[in-house]
């Protein structure tokens, strides 16, 4: 059953059922009911404080709004698709409850500033929750980095074995990535946390409203000054979604490494049974589906970013109904990012690292070839010559189906007279790691410093 729309005065015909069903957004925006009611309460309190409404009118509306919130929460008021959107549904219910006075709530306000307010409130909460989930994942990574301190693994470039690194160092790289995500979210919060309410449709209002008072009541840092900008702007949402896209990109890389590392080919980790699935046909299979889904869901978030940028592209000022289409990507990004951060923390905590296997792989290869070149450099050989000599040694090993560890000093002397028996020390993976001197490197000292740093940073941060 359709209600008579609150805006129907100038219309001779009601909105067709087809048009209503096409244009209604309530199915999605009903998720904003708390924000909508909080915004309305702040607005009505300001209306009575500025004597635009009487104190008694303000109180009645405020009380009724709180009852409506309960009605929604208990399921007594169904936000069904006979309404155009959550804003009209709540206002309609208010008028039903308190009569014509309810119609005074919308004084000096429009749905255009109302919806922008609701979104900013909703996203502000989302930023805080995602911030906590980021901190939670950083803590899991830190825990694993501490636990496996001392363990070595092959580091890769081009997905080819490059140099030995500390497992902790690799995990700490993700903590740094997630920290930038955290900073980005907090940075976009600065611009998001401004109140658009009181911009009304676009031009402001002739009532002596106090926009700053509403902003303070809702804990905003101020107001969006220009009323036209206040109702046209969706930058805060696009910035948020772009920050989430980077989070998802980082998670997809971690998820991909989980997929690769848990394969037989790598065998570096074992994800617990509880976070993997079997095959309906191949009895031996144990698939890393959760990690794969994180990788896959990244596409949804990127899609949402492009979706939003495209909705806003070339849109004339100020409000246009196109903007209603921002709801689907907004809600989807918030829930997808939250779910993925949450599951990745769980996958990781339930993953065992096979230290022995990782270190085995270090021995049977050429990962310390750079150390041989550096050794020669320290003996005065120019780096380019040292690189060429070492390349020849590697090529020799490949031809003779052997690794660096199988070489003897006589053979090495055929490549350079600079080699002394201590060269064999330098070829040891743990020696290679310990040799590193530069800041932020994979040496145990530098890695330890990072662990200490992140322990301090994360200590003061709220996680879930
Ligand atoms: N449901 C609309 C949206 O989400 C609310 C604003 C509608 N304003 C209007 N003038 N039709 O964008």
């Amino acid at each position: 059953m359709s209600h008579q729309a609150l805006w129907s005065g100038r219309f001779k015909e009601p909105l067709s059922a087809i048009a209503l069903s096409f244009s209604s957004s309530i199915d999605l925006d009903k998720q904003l009911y708390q924000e909508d009611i909080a915004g309305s309460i702040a607005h009505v309190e300001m209306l009575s404080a500025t004597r635009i409404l009487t104190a008694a009118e303000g109180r009645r509306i405020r009380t009724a709004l709180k009852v409506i919130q309960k009605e929604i929460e208990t399921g007594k008021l169904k936000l069904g698709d006979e309404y155009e959107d959550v804003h009209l549904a709540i206002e309609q219910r208010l008028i039903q409850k308190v009569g014509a006075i309810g119609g005074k709530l919308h004084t000096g306000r429009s749905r255009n500033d109302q919806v922008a307010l609701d979104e900013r409130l909703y996203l502000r909460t989302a930023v805080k929750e995602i911030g906590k989930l980021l901190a939670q994942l950083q803590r899991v990574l830190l825990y694993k980095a501490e636990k496996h301190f001392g363990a070595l693994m092959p580091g890769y470039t081009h997905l080819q074995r490059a140099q030995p690194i500390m497992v902790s160092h690799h995990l700490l790289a993700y903590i740094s990535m997630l920290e930038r995500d955290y900073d980005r979210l907090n940075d976009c919060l600065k611009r998001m946390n401004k109140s658009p309410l009181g911009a009304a449709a676009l031009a402001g209002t002739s009532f002596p409203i106090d926009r700053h008072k509403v902003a303070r009541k809702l804990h905003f840092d101020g107001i969006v000054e220009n009323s036209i900008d206040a109702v046209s702007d969706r930058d805060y949402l696009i910035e948020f979604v772009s920050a989430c896209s980077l989070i998802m990109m980082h998670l997809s890389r971690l998820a991909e490494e989980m997929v690769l590392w848990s394969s037989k080919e790598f065998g570096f980790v074992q994800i617990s049974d509880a976070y993997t699935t079997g095959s309906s046909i191949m009895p031996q299979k144990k698939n890393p589906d959760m990690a794969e889904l994180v990788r896959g869901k990244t596409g949804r978030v990127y899609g949402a970013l492009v979706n939003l940028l495209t909705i806003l592209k070339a849109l004339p000022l100020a409000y246009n109904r196109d903007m209603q289409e921002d709801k689907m990507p907004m809600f989807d990004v918030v829930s997808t990012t939250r779910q993925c951060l949450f599951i990745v923390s769980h996958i990781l905590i339930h993953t065992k690292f096979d230290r022995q296997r990782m270190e085995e792989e270090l021995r049977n290869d050429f990962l310390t070839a750079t150390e041989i070149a550096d050794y020669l450099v320290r003996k005065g050989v120019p780096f380019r010559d040292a690189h060429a000599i070492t390349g020849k040694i590697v090529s020799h090993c490949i031809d003779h189906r052997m690794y660096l560890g199988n070489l003897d000093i006589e053979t090495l002397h055929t490549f350079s007279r600079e080699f002394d028996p201590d060269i064999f020390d330098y070829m040891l993976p743990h020696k290679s790691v310990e040799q590193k001197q530069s800041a932020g490197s994979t040496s145990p000292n530098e890695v330890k410093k990072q662990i200490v740093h992140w322990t301090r940073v994360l200590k003061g941060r709220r996680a879930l």
Side-chain angles (χ1 to χ4, degrees):
M1 196 205 57
S2 92
H3 298 263
Q4 193 178 27
L6 288 172
W7 41 254
S8 64
R10 61 97 71 213
F11 291 84
K12 295 204 175 65
E13 271 187 85
L15 186 67
S16 89
I18 296 171
L20 175 63
S21 116
F22 175 72
S23 60
S24 169
S25 56
I26 194 148
D27 219 23
L28 288 171
D29 64 26
K30 62 184 172 197
Q31 294 175 70
L32 295 172
Y33 79 91
Q34 280 173 310
E35 288 77 9
D36 200 68
I37 290 175
S40 289
I41 289 177
H43 180 65
V44 82
E45 284 175 350
M46 177 278 291
L47 289 179
S48 26
T50 48
R51 299 183 193 288
I52 297 167
L53 296 193
T54 66
E57 287 170 334
R59 267 198 307 275
R60 264 192 88 188
I61 294 175
R62 188 178 185 280
T63 312
L65 284 169
K66 292 206 155 163
V67 175
I68 293 172
Q69 172 141 1
K70 286 256 152 56
E71 287 180 353
I72 297 172
E73 271 150 17
T74 55
K76 189 169 165 211
L77 173 60
K78 300 246 177 311
L79 299 174
D81 53 15
E82 65 273 27
Y83 299 104
E84 202 177 297
D85 57 29
V86 66
H87 325 291
L88 289 178
I90 292 173
E91 199 183 332
Q92 197 126 22
R93 180 68 180 150
L94 177 70
I95 294 169
Q96 218 176 54
K97 285 184 95 68
V98 302
I101 287 178
K104 296 195 175 191
L105 168 65
H106 215 50
T107 313
R109 178 178 89 164
S110 148
R111 267 187 299 158
N112 300 351
D113 54 346
Q114 193 179 348
V115 70
L117 174 86
D118 292 4
E119 287 188 352
R120 284 173 188 259
L121 289 172
Y122 171 81
L123 289 171
R124 200 169 71 174
T125 310
V127 163
K128 295 198 176 122
E129 284 170 2
I130 292 176
K132 287 185 203 164
L133 286 161
L134 281 169
Q136 184 186 47
L137 178 54
Q138 285 178 308
R139 287 205 176 130
V140 173
L141 286 158
L142 185 62
Y143 165 77
K144 291 279 176 186
E146 280 182 304
K147 183 172 161 141
H148 298 295
F149 187 77
L152 304 184
M153 64 181 280
Y156 293 81
T157 63
H158 312 264
L159 203 57
Q160 307 291 321
R161 289 175 189 176
Q163 289 180 302
I165 55 170
M166 289 187 73
V167 173
S168 317
H169 192 202
H170 194 99
L171 295 170
L172 286 159
Y174 281 102
I175 301 186
S176 300
M177 289 147 80
L178 298 173
E179 185 69 7
R180 290 195 295 277
D181 293 329
Y182 183 81
D183 286 347
R184 257 186 293 272
L185 278 179
N186 282 309
D187 183 60
C188 92
L189 184 62
K190 284 187 224 150
R191 285 172 292 279
M192 179 192 292
N193 200 26
K194 298 259 157 51
S195 171
L197 206 68
L202 81 165
T205 170
S206 48
F207 292 100
I209 60 167
D210 184 345
R211 293 189 62 196
H212 293 280
K213 196 182 197 64
V214 179
R216 277 194 304 274
K217 276 185 192 296
L218 295 168
H219 308 291
F220 281 108
D221 294 329
I223 62 168
V224 183
E225 280 291 339
N226 184 312
S227 64
I228 299 173
D229 182 37
V231 291
S232 316
D233 175 32
R234 291 293 180 273
D235 293 4
Y236 56 88
L237 172 57
I238 296 179
E239 281 189 50
F240 170 81
V241 173
S242 78
C244 289
S245 298
L246 283 159
I247 294 176
M248 290 302 299
M249 182 268 280
H250 292 152
L251 293 185
S252 77
R253 297 179 78 169
L254 181 53
E256 169 67 2
E257 297 206 312
M258 286 291 128
V259 172
L260 282 174
W261 292 0
S262 62
S263 69
K264 211 24 161 259
E265 281 66 15
F266 278 80
F268 290 178
V269 299
Q270 252 187 28
I271 306 174
S272 114
D273 282 4
Y275 289 86
T276 51
T277 55
S279 153
S280 55
I281 175 169
M282 298 164 283
Q284 86 285 8
K285 289 300 290 291
K286 173 171 159 173
N287 299 323
D289 291 31
M290 308 309 134
E292 292 168 70
L293 277 167
V294 169
R295 213 170 49 179
K297 283 174 193 282
T298 304
R300 281 167 70 155
V301 176
Y302 291 3
L305 178 61
V306 175
N307 185 351
L308 287 165
L309 286 168
T310 313
I311 291 168
L312 269 296
K313 176 182 178 289
L315 208 58
L317 307 189
Y319 177 81
N320 298 272
R321 191 67 180 267
D322 314 40
M323 289 157 96
Q324 178 173 287
E325 287 296 309
D326 66 356
K327 303 295 175 309
M328 200 262 283
M330 176 174 82
F331 293 123
D332 196 50
V333 165
V334 170
S335 77
T336 305
T337 309
R338 286 178 54 173
Q339 280 177 25
C340 289
L341 279 165
F342 191 67
I343 195 96
V344 170
S345 284
H346 282 79
I347 298 173
L348 205 62
I349 206 109
H350 296 285
T351 293
K352 283 207 177 78
F353 286 72
D354 190 338
R355 179 175 180 160
Q356 221 181 339
R357 166 95 179 109
M358 290 191 278
E359 292 182 356
E360 213 170 82
E361 288 308 312
L362 288 171
R363 282 192 293 277
N364 302 331
D365 220 314
F366 302 99
L367 284 115
T368 50
T370 313
E371 302 320 322
I372 301 178
D374 286 354
Y375 177 95
L376 291 173
V377 169
R378 279 193 293 272
K379 299 260 173 158
V381 180
F383 181 75
R384 278 292 151 229
D385 297 338
H387 187 286
I389 293 167
T390 313
K392 294 231 159 53
I393 296 172
V394 170
S395 166
H396 169 91
C397 289
I398 293 170
D399 291 346
H400 293 83
R401 293 181 176 274
M402 57 199 268
Y403 296 115
L404 295 178
N406 311 114
L407 290 163
D408 53 35
I409 194 74
E410 289 74 30
T411 315
L412 283 173
H413 280 162
T414 63
F415 294 95
S416 167
R417 294 305 302 173
E418 300 295 346
F419 288 119
D420 286 321
D422 64 345
I423 180 62
F424 296 110
D425 276 355
Y426 290 91
M427 288 184 198
L428 297 171
H430 73 89
K431 186 84 182 171
S432 149
V433 165
E434 281 157 19
Q435 281 283 307
K436 297 287 175 293
Q437 307 210 20
S438 51
S441 72
T442 205
S443 81
N445 274 345
E446 287 299 314
V447 173
K448 187 88 217 161
K449 266 193 218 162
Q450 289 186 51
I451 290 180
V452 169
H453 168 76
W454 290 116
T455 306
R456 193 165 38 76
V457 171
L458 294 172
K459 201 175 200 165
R461 191 165 300 164
R462 288 185 58 195
L464 276 187

